[in-house]
Amino acid sequence: MTAVAERTEPRQAARTGAWVVYRWELIKLTRQVKAQVVVGLCVLAPFLFVAALNAQSNVPQDTLFGRWVHDSGFSIPLVVLGFAGQWALPAVTSVVAGDIFACEDRYGTWKTILTRSCGRSQIFTGKTFAAITFSVVTTVLLALSSLAAGVLLVGRQPLIGLSGTLLTPGHSAVLVLTSWATVLLPVLGFTGLGLLLSVASRSSAVGVGAPVVIGLVMQLASLVNAPSAVRMLLLTTPFGAWHGLFTVRPFYGPLVQGAIVSLVYFVLCVGGAYALLRRRDITGS
Amino acid sequence: MDNPSQPAIEARDLVKRFEDTTALAGVDLRVGPGRVHGMVGPNGAGKTTLLTMLMGLVRPDAGSIRVFGRTREENGLEGVAGFVESPRFYPYLSGRRNLALLADLDGGDAAARIDESLELAGLTDHAGARVGGYSVGMRQRLGIAAALLRDPRLLILDEPASGLDPAGTRDMRALIARLAGEGVTILLSSHDMDEVEDLCDDITIMRAGQVVFDGSMEELRDKAPDPAFRLSTSDDEKALTVAGPGMTVTPDDGGLLVHAQRDQLDAYVIALGRADVAVRRLDLEASALKALFFRLTESGAEDRATGPEVGT
């Protein structure tokens, strides 16, 4: 009994340490203007977008569901999702993920926190979960806000699916929320990329900016008719995997592929970031 | 349970290279329990690398470190606190909030010591202000408060008086003396030989990644050469001829550099007057300890003057 207690104690202490780091990272985020601005934009931007659309007769026809923005409020979160997947979600996630480790270099606080009773693995775990939390919360906020903006400012009219069939408001709402849920995994992939760049570059500018640039390059690669095997491996491809949900006979293959690709990106990036942080000598002020 | 006679720090043959620069080339360091141990050396001597290594921030390429008999893997930072280079904090949080964060990372009853630590560091009145608005001296005080939160048995301080005004420096020295009186082992890195001389029992002098002296302050004083004085006269050439036995007078930087004991210096000044040479200026260039420091850290490696190991 005692031996078991002795074995489990360090593991429990490690979990407690990671939880403390996680809690403090969230407290620090609530104090940072950039995080407040991003959360505010996620809530307000969809309403401003709909207000701008309502002020004109033109519609974003080139975007999926763009031609229905005046006819069904459920098209709004899907149009927003289409735009967000191109650059906004990588940008939103990397604001925190790309900075959460690099900011310790910027403030010179690695020496302050690594000389306390928390180990590097606990600090890494707490910070990683804080970045994931921020990415998930902002994505959920953007989803709910764009759905609310569509329903409140346009209405709960039925949505026309990609096969031309009419979807009831209830069914449309479920499909909209499911579509947004499917982008959580590529969002996690970009979060992992931001974390890796944050640790490797020790620069907030690189950590925040590079994932957006990488996302845009991947978009470009998919637009110039890259081979399908290459397109399948791009982290931006899963952002469009939800299209298959809106056909009469939904197809889930892209969703499964996208989930696997996103998880591989996440695991490789986070694993790489952890290995780098574990090995790093903390020098300089 | 720690052995009370166990050294607080026992580092052996530490080596650290950064690319093609050797920061530490086989350094040994032994700090006895309850001692105030000074560490001095010119910039680039390897002091900061050694301190960061002791605090677990940098891994040695070779050698071993034990703190209170434990390696880093054996929870070697327990009971250890301090800072290397200037202490840094989150600028958008208040001083108190920063300490609360660090206390949570430490766990235990560290949070209960926040008020006491702030008071000891003389920062109670500014605890609610954001650290971004702190002066260098206030951040230094917050660094001390953060260290005290851990109720340390070993305090590692790198230039603790840096950025402090004279009153702050006085308070800092008093605090260090008080903690030492309470049995806390202190490793103090400083450029100020007067500070080290006032506070420390033992001293390690480093140069170019090596220890060039390691021993007690008494042993260092025994090795100290004559103090150096800078002299300006009405006729330096004639003054050179008046120098008495046992002292050295050399032309230096438009004046004269005199190495002599006080009584020899008195006799020399009187002799200059008798020789019709007016003394226009006479300043202490370096105390005996400073003179030894310069000799050890500026001369060739053959002058290595390692004293007996501390504690032997």
Side-chain angles (χ1 to χ4, degrees):
Chain A
M1 189 71 178
T2 310
V4 171
E6 282 172 358
R7 276 201 303 273
T8 55
E9 199 173 312
R11 196 174 291 174
Q12 195 171 350
R15 276 201 296 268
T16 308
W19 168 251
V20 167
V21 175
Y22 173 74
R23 196 167 56 82
W24 270 102
E25 287 300 325
L26 294 187
I27 292 171
K28 281 155 63 182
L29 282 177
T30 62
R31 301 286 195 282
Q32 292 176 26
V33 174
K34 65 174 186 197
Q36 295 165 354
V37 167
V38 169
V39 169
L41 280 176
C42 286
V43 173
L44 293 177
F47 286 92
L48 298 174
F49 176 64
V50 176
L53 285 175
N54 284 346
Q56 58 185 0
S57 57
N58 290 340
V59 293
Q61 288 193 37
D62 294 340
T63 308
L64 212 57
F65 294 102
R67 66 176 59 185
W68 312 118
V69 291
H70 292 316
D71 302 312
S72 169
F74 295 109
S75 65
I76 298 296
L78 298 173
V79 171
V80 171
L81 180 56
F83 284 134
Q86 288 174 20
W87 61 270
L89 286 175
V92 164
T93 57
S94 60
V95 162
V96 167
D99 185 50
I100 201 161
F101 289 101
C103 71
E104 304 292 350
D105 289 285
R106 194 170 73 246
Y107 296 133
T109 40
W110 276 124
K111 287 176 183 170
T112 310
I113 58 173
L114 287 178
T115 50
R116 315 307 292 194
S117 297
C118 269
R120 290 189 189 203
S121 56
Q122 293 161 288
I123 286 171
F124 182 84
T125 305
K127 280 179 172 286
T128 298
F129 274 100
I132 290 171
T133 300
F134 184 82
S135 297
V136 170
V137 165
T138 48
T139 305
V140 169
L141 275 178
L142 194 57
L144 295 178
S145 174
S146 57
L147 180 60
V151 169
L152 293 174
L153 301 181
V154 179
R156 296 181 70 252
Q157 304 87 340
L159 180 68
I160 297 174
L162 294 179
S163 304
T165 54
L166 215 55
L167 305 171
T168 63
H171 191 199
S172 300
V174 169
L175 287 178
V176 163
L177 292 176
T178 307
S179 300
W180 274 91
T182 66
V183 301
L184 284 174
L185 283 177
V187 160
L188 280 188
F190 271 100
T191 304
L193 189 60
L195 292 170
L196 174 62
L197 290 166
S198 181
V199 173
S201 70
R202 307 175 191 181
S203 157
S204 298
V206 173
V208 175
V212 181
V213 174
I214 290 170
L216 289 173
V217 169
M218 286 181 175
Q219 293 279 353
L220 192 65
S222 61
L223 288 175
V224 295
N225 279 337
S228 62
V230 173
R231 279 208 304 270
M232 199 176 73
L233 295 175
L234 299 175
L235 188 51
T236 44
T237 303
F239 280 121
W242 55 273
H243 297 172
L245 297 174
F246 286 85
T247 55
V248 173
R249 297 181 66 182
F251 50 98
Y252 301 105
L255 285 173
V256 175
Q257 277 178 7
I260 293 169
V261 168
S262 302
L263 285 174
V264 167
Y265 269 90
F266 178 76
V267 170
L268 289 180
C269 289
V270 170
Y274 180 67
L276 285 175
L277 186 66
R278 287 281 295 180
R279 289 160 43 91
R280 183 179 162 189
D281 283 335
I282 307 296
T283 56
S285 52
Chain B
M1 180 68 79
D2 294 327
N3 178 354
S5 63
Q6 198 165 43
I9 298 172
E10 191 164 30
R12 289 195 182 280
D13 207 19
L14 293 176
V15 175
K16 184 67 186 178
R17 293 183 194 88
F18 295 105
E19 295 175 356
D20 53 353
T21 303
T22 300
L24 295 179
V27 167
D28 291 336
L29 178 70
R30 195 166 193 267
V31 177
R35 307 285 284 181
V36 181
H37 192 112
M39 182 175 289
V40 295
N43 292 331
K47 304 188 301 293
T48 299
T49 301
L50 180 55
L51 294 183
T52 50
M53 215 174 258
L54 293 172
M55 298 198 78
L57 295 165
V58 169
R59 290 167 305 156
D61 294 332
S64 65
I65 297 173
R66 285 187 176 271
V67 177
F68 296 116
R70 298 184 303 266
T71 64
R72 176 73 205 269
E73 291 70 31
E74 297 165 345
N75 203 14
L77 275 186
E78 190 190 321
V80 182
F83 53 80
V84 185
E85 297 177 316
S86 54
R88 305 291 283 270
F89 298 92
Y90 300 106
Y92 50 86
L93 298 179
S94 69
R96 182 182 294 279
R97 203 78 172 150
N98 268 286
L99 292 189
L101 186 160
L102 298 177
D104 269 5
L105 293 182
D106 283 333
D109 57 354
R113 281 191 288 273
I114 290 176
D115 286 333
E116 181 192 358
S117 301
L118 283 167
E119 192 178 336
L120 279 171
L123 210 56
T124 304
D125 292 344
H126 303 282
R130 287 189 181 194
V131 170
Y134 277 19
S135 66
V136 174
M138 287 162 74
R139 281 203 294 274
Q140 207 76 3
R141 289 170 184 270
L142 190 59
I144 291 286
L148 296 178
L149 280 183
R150 288 171 67 79
D151 194 17
R153 290 188 296 144
L154 169 63
L155 195 55
I156 297 175
L157 298 173
D158 189 8
E159 301 283 345
S162 172
L164 295 180
D165 57 25
T169 303
R170 180 199 61 204
D171 295 346
M172 184 67 73
R173 289 186 184 186
L175 178 61
I176 291 171
R178 175 183 158 180
L179 291 168
E182 292 171 2
V184 177
T185 307
I186 296 171
L187 178 58
L188 173 71
S189 170
S190 178
H191 280 114
D192 186 344
M193 281 300 288
D194 295 335
E195 183 175 73
V196 171
E197 196 171 0
D198 281 353
L199 292 170
C200 296
D201 306 310
D202 306 307
I203 185 168
T204 295
I205 300 178
M206 294 184 69
R207 183 190 62 195
Q210 291 183 311
V211 172
V212 291
F213 179 87
D214 185 25
S216 67
M217 290 304 295
E218 288 74 26
E219 288 160 359
L220 184 69
R221 284 188 194 100
D222 288 346
K223 291 178 183 295
D226 296 337
F229 300 90
R230 187 162 292 284
L231 176 66
S232 175
T233 70
S234 58
D235 187 346
D236 287 350
E237 280 189 24
K238 194 171 181 183
L240 282 168
T241 64
V242 180
M247 60 184 293
T248 60
V249 182
T250 51
D252 185 86
D253 199 20
L256 297 172
L257 199 58
V258 181
H259 289 274
Q261 292 296 331
R262 291 269 176 186
D263 54 344
Q264 291 173 321
L265 183 72
D266 292 345
Y268 182 49
V269 170
I270 291 168
L272 287 173
R274 285 183 180 151
D276 291 333
V277 178
V279 173
R280 290 178 173 164
R281 188 171 179 148
L282 180 61
D283 297 310
L284 179 64
E285 175 77 3
S287 66
L289 282 182
K290 270 187 188 165
L292 178 59
F293 172 78
F294 291 138
R295 199 175 78 187
L296 288 171
T297 58
E298 290 176 352
S299 56
E302 64 277 10
D303 289 341
R304 184 182 168 100
T306 307
E309 273 193 64
V310 179
T312 57

